[in-house]
């Protein structure tokens, strides 16, 4: 697979391109994103679904622009897919041939189930710990649902419910009296097994709703991916957006004004039908799914009558995270550094007195793996650089709580954590006891790793942590170690094995 890959998604409402760069076999990050609102499906739904010349011309210009951008960014591979408006159109083949001739891009028109699967594949791999959920991906022409159970994609369906479709058929023609029946008929196609407590919200309309909720609630982290909220608590807010006359009051961007109400109608109907409780926002969808299907080398042309999805499921190796690996790759992290190794042993040794939940050890070890990353920018204030890079680089596969904990530990670097400095994110961090112990363990492991690459043993006895070297007397920076903010009733002692 090429080092840089551009994926173009030609939807009913807009054309988007994402440029991915691989740093290793599975490590990657997003270099850039581009969007053009061309509305390929404009005036098609009231004209026998035929793509109109003006819309096709705008799409052609956008695709030519995207190809030029991709080549300038040195992409070795460009993948273009078309969704609802294209697969509905009787003249789709003519348009695809026109783009191949005039632009030099080969567009692959994917069916509804494939589109649904690709969105589910992206969410399953790039959100945090998804085991059981149903995705809702609202587009301009259709809405896709993907059922995930026990960490695997079980089923996919596509509904003819899209924001542009509803706008042109019902809102523009003032036929709102027929809208409810249209939606109810679509909902009848959704099997009961798709009902789920957890709903993954995909697509521009649902990201806009999540952004509005985040701002309303003064959410402390400006990160839409993995943001979650209670449907019951926010249902009233979404209904207000649906009926609002002035959308500016709800922090909705202007480019969403003309279709956000249709998005609300579809989402509210589906969320109620699926008995949703918790909504998880996904910033990834079809484009990331296309990239992952190439990365995993999985054939994803799913037939409409396919019921067995087992051969299409693919996930990263156990205990692997693409964002963490990408940071390590890009900034040449020294893999011989024993910070994570010592942190693991210290956590286990001190468990009888710190009694921190074992689940926090994963966050501790991930912080240890990035403990020196800030030094790649500048040795001075390296801990602050590390914290910033973790906060902005651990995009995929980490919850907001995990990202903030890792960033906070890296920034503290063994110094006492100022409660006023974390007041704005306090609701997303563990309590002070946990923070104090993890901060101490990480800082001690980092200091020990700086002094030696020899294996050390640790023993806890009467609140004293004995640190043993196995071969020879090792110089430890005891003065620096003394500066580490320690929990109460813990003493350090250094010894050589007999």
């Amino acid at each position: 697979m090429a080092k840089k890959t551009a994926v173009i998604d030609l939807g009913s409402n807009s054309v988007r391109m994402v440029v991915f760069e691989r740093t290793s076999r599975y490590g990657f990050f997003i270099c850039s994103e581009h969007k053009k609102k061309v509305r390929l499906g404009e005036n098609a739904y009231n004209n026998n679904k035929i793509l109109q010349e003006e819309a096709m011309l705008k799409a052609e210009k956008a695709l030519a622009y995207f190809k030029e951008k991709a080549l300038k960014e040195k992409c070795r591979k460009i993948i273009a897919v078309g969704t609802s408006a294209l697969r509905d159109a009787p003249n789709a083949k003519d348009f695809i041939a026109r783009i191949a001739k005039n632009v030099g891009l080969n567009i692959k028109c994917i069916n509804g189930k494939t589109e649904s699967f690709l969105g589910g594949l992206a969410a399953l791999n790039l959100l945090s710990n998804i085991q059981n959920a149903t995705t809702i991906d609202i587009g301009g022409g259709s809405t896709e649902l993907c059922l995930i159970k026990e960490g695997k994609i079980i089923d996919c369906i596509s509904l003819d419910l899209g924001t542009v479709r509803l706008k042109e058929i019902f809102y523009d023609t003032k036929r709102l009296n027929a809208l409810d029946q249209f939606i109810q008929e679509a909902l009848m196609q959704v099997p009961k097994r798709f009902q789920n407590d957890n709903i993954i919200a995909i697509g521009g309309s649902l990201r806009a709703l999540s952004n509005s909720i985040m701002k309303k609630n003064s959410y402390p982290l400006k990160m839409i991916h993995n943001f979650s909220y209670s449907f019951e608590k926010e249902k009233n807010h979404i209904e207000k957006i649906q009926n609002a006359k002035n959308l500016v009051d709800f922090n909705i961007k202007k480019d969403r004004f003309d279709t956000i109400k249709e998005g609300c109608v579809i989402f509210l109907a589906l969320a109620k039908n699926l008995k949703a409780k918790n909504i998880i926002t996904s910033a990834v969808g079809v484009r990331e799914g296309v990239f992952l299907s190439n990365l995993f080398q999985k054939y994803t042309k799913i037939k409409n009558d396919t019921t067995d999805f087992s051969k299409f499921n693919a996930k990263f190796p156990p205990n692997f995270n693409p964002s963490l690996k990408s940071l390590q790759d890009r900034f040449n992290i020294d893999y011989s550094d024993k910070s994570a190794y010592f942190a693991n042993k210290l956590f286990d040794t001190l468990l009888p007195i710190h009694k921190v939940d074992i689940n926090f050890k994963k966050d501790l070890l991930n912080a240890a793996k990035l403990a020196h990353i800030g030094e790649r920018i500048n040795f001075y204030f390296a801990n602050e650089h590390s914290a910033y890079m973790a906060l902005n680089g651990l995009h995929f596969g980490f919850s907001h709580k995990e990202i903030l904990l890792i960033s906070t530990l890296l920034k503290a670097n063994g110094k006492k954590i100022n409660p006023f400095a974390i007041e704005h994110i306090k609701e997303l961090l563990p309590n002070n006891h946990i923070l104090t112990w993890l901060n101490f363990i990480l800082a001690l492991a980092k200091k020990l790793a700086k002094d030696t690459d020899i294996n050390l043993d640790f023993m806890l006895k009467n609140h004293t942590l004995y640190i043993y070297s196995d071969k020879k007397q090792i110089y430890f920076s005891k003065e620096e170690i003394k500066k580490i903010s320690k929990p109460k009733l813990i003493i350090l002692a250094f010894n050589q094995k007999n």
Side-chain angles (χ1 to χ4, degrees):
M1 189 176 183
K3 185 177 180 180
K4 272 193 174 184
T5 299
V7 178
I8 299 173
D9 172 14
L10 179 59
S12 303
N13 192 38
S14 58
V15 185
R16 295 173 181 267
M17 181 175 76
V18 179
V19 175
F20 302 89
E21 181 171 341
R22 290 179 60 203
T23 59
S24 54
R25 176 65 183 92
Y26 289 120
F28 71 90
F29 67 102
I30 291 177
C31 298
S32 63
E33 290 187 340
H34 308 274
K35 175 187 174 183
K36 292 288 184 182
K37 191 172 182 179
V38 301
R39 192 159 286 176
L40 181 61
E42 189 168 28
N43 295 322
Y45 298 109
N46 285 320
N47 286 283
N48 298 316
K49 301 179 181 179
I50 297 171
L51 300 178
Q52 303 299 296
E53 175 57 32
E54 184 178 351
M56 288 191 290
L57 182 59
K58 285 193 291 185
E60 181 181 331
K61 289 180 178 179
L63 290 169
Y65 170 77
F66 283 165
K67 181 183 178 182
E68 181 183 356
K69 294 288 290 185
L71 293 176
K72 282 184 178 179
E73 293 192 43
K74 299 181 180 179
C75 294
R76 299 293 296 275
K77 191 170 188 178
I78 304 174
I79 306 171
V81 296
T83 54
S84 179
L86 202 57
R87 62 176 172 260
D88 287 346
N91 58 337
K93 289 184 178 179
D94 294 335
F95 175 73
I96 291 172
R98 169 178 172 172
I99 297 302
K101 179 182 178 181
N102 296 347
V103 182
L105 284 178
N106 295 314
I107 302 174
K108 179 182 179 182
C109 183
I110 57 176
N111 63 45
K113 280 205 170 186
T114 301
E115 184 180 357
S116 172
F117 176 85
L118 291 169
L121 181 70
L124 181 60
N125 279 280
L126 302 178
L127 282 168
S128 173
N129 192 31
I130 298 299
Q131 292 299 314
N132 297 289
T134 296
T135 68
I136 297 179
D137 185 354
I138 299 177
S142 63
T143 292
E144 278 65 47
L145 307 181
C146 179
L147 177 61
I148 298 171
K149 282 193 174 182
E150 297 180 357
K152 293 183 178 180
I153 295 173
I154 302 300
D155 201 358
C156 300
I157 56 175
S158 180
L159 306 173
D160 285 338
L161 291 176
T163 56
V164 177
R165 189 187 295 265
L166 295 194
K167 180 181 183 298
E168 293 193 0
I169 296 176
F170 299 101
Y171 283 82
D172 292 351
T173 58
K174 309 298 182 184
R175 293 178 56 236
L176 294 180
N177 58 323
L179 177 59
D180 185 62
Q181 182 180 348
F182 182 83
I183 291 176
Q184 292 306 314
E185 288 176 357
L187 293 179
M188 290 175 64
Q189 301 173 43
V190 182
K192 284 190 175 182
R193 64 178 177 273
F194 277 77
Q195 292 179 352
N196 215 305
D197 287 351
N198 299 314
I199 297 297
I200 298 173
I202 303 175
S205 294
L206 298 189
R207 287 194 298 272
L209 293 182
S210 292
N211 184 64
S212 176
I213 292 167
M214 288 172 73
K215 291 185 177 179
K216 174 181 73 75
N217 296 337
S218 299
Y219 189 71
L221 188 61
K222 294 181 180 179
M223 186 179 293
I224 200 78
H225 189 60
N226 253 315
F227 168 70
S228 63
Y229 60 90
S230 164
F231 177 66
E232 189 60 35
K233 287 183 179 179
E234 303 299 344
K235 180 173 63 175
N236 184 54
H237 180 72
I238 298 171
E239 289 172 345
K240 286 181 179 179
I241 294 174
Q242 179 187 330
N243 299 311
K245 291 184 178 180
N246 188 357
L247 289 167
V248 175
D249 296 338
F250 293 90
N251 290 298
I252 301 295
K253 292 182 179 180
K254 288 185 178 180
D255 64 349
R256 286 284 163 197
F257 279 10
D258 58 344
T259 56
I260 191 65
K261 293 184 178 182
E262 292 84 346
C264 290
V265 170
I266 297 169
F267 180 58
L268 287 168
L270 277 170
K272 291 173 185 176
N273 181 269
L274 297 173
K275 298 183 177 180
K277 292 182 179 179
N278 184 46
I279 310 298
I280 306 159
T281 314
S282 173
V284 299
V286 171
R287 294 172 295 282
E288 289 76 13
V290 169
F291 174 77
L292 289 177
S293 68
N294 277 262
L295 188 70
F296 295 138
Q297 298 179 344
K298 284 283 183 177
Y299 180 65
T300 53
K301 188 178 180 181
I302 298 167
K303 295 179 181 178
N304 285 320
D305 59 353
T306 298
T307 55
D308 180 13
F309 286 86
S310 60
K311 63 181 179 179
F312 300 112
N313 274 280
K315 296 183 76 172
F316 290 108
N319 302 315
F320 177 88
N321 180 275
S323 290
L324 179 67
K325 185 65 168 66
S326 171
L327 285 175
Q328 291 176 310
D329 292 339
R330 282 183 282 164
F331 295 96
N332 299 316
I333 298 299
D334 183 4
Y335 290 98
S336 65
D337 177 74
K338 286 187 174 291
S339 294
Y341 174 78
F342 288 150
N344 184 50
K345 293 186 73 172
L346 284 167
F347 184 95
D348 292 344
T349 302
L350 294 169
L351 185 58
I353 57 173
H354 67 60
K355 298 179 181 178
V356 173
D357 190 310
I358 193 71
N359 290 319
F360 285 107
K361 184 162 79 166
K362 180 182 176 183
D363 302 318
L364 172 69
L365 298 184
N366 284 330
K369 291 173 183 176
L370 298 176
H372 299 283
I373 192 170
E375 296 168 13
R376 306 300 299 180
I377 296 179
N378 194 317
F379 176 79
Y380 300 102
F381 305 105
N383 57 312
E384 294 187 15
H385 299 318
S386 295
Y388 178 85
M389 293 164 77
L391 184 63
N392 293 278
L394 297 179
H395 190 58
F396 297 131
F398 287 93
S399 70
H400 289 187
K401 289 182 177 180
E402 290 170 334
I403 293 170
L404 284 173
L405 175 55
I406 292 168
S407 179
T408 300
L409 293 176
L410 290 171
K411 188 171 184 177
N413 196 35
K415 294 181 180 179
K416 187 175 181 179
I417 298 174
N418 184 346
F420 296 105
I422 61 171
E423 182 65 31
H424 64 297
I425 55 172
K426 187 177 179 181
E427 64 182 89
L428 295 174
L429 288 175
N431 61 45
N432 187 62
H433 171 83
I434 296 171
L435 283 176
T436 299
W437 272 105
L438 295 180
N439 181 31
F440 166 69
I441 293 171
L442 176 60
L444 180 58
K446 185 179 175 182
K447 293 292 187 186
L448 294 175
K450 182 179 179 181
D451 287 338
T452 182
D453 58 0
I454 293 175
N455 289 337
L456 301 176
D457 286 329
F458 307 100
M459 184 178 73
L460 179 67
K461 186 176 181 181
N462 297 328
H463 288 269
T464 298
L465 176 65
Y466 292 92
I467 303 173
Y468 294 96
S469 57
D470 59 357
K471 290 184 179 180
K472 59 184 179 180
Q473 187 69 36
I474 298 173
Y475 171 78
F476 290 105
S477 306
K478 294 181 183 180
E479 291 303 315
E480 290 186 29
I481 290 174
K482 285 179 182 178
K483 295 177 183 178
I484 298 173
S485 177
K486 295 192 295 292
K488 294 179 180 178
L489 302 177
I490 181 71
I491 301 170
L492 302 180
F494 295 87
N495 294 89
Q496 183 179 355
K497 288 183 180 179
N498 295 328

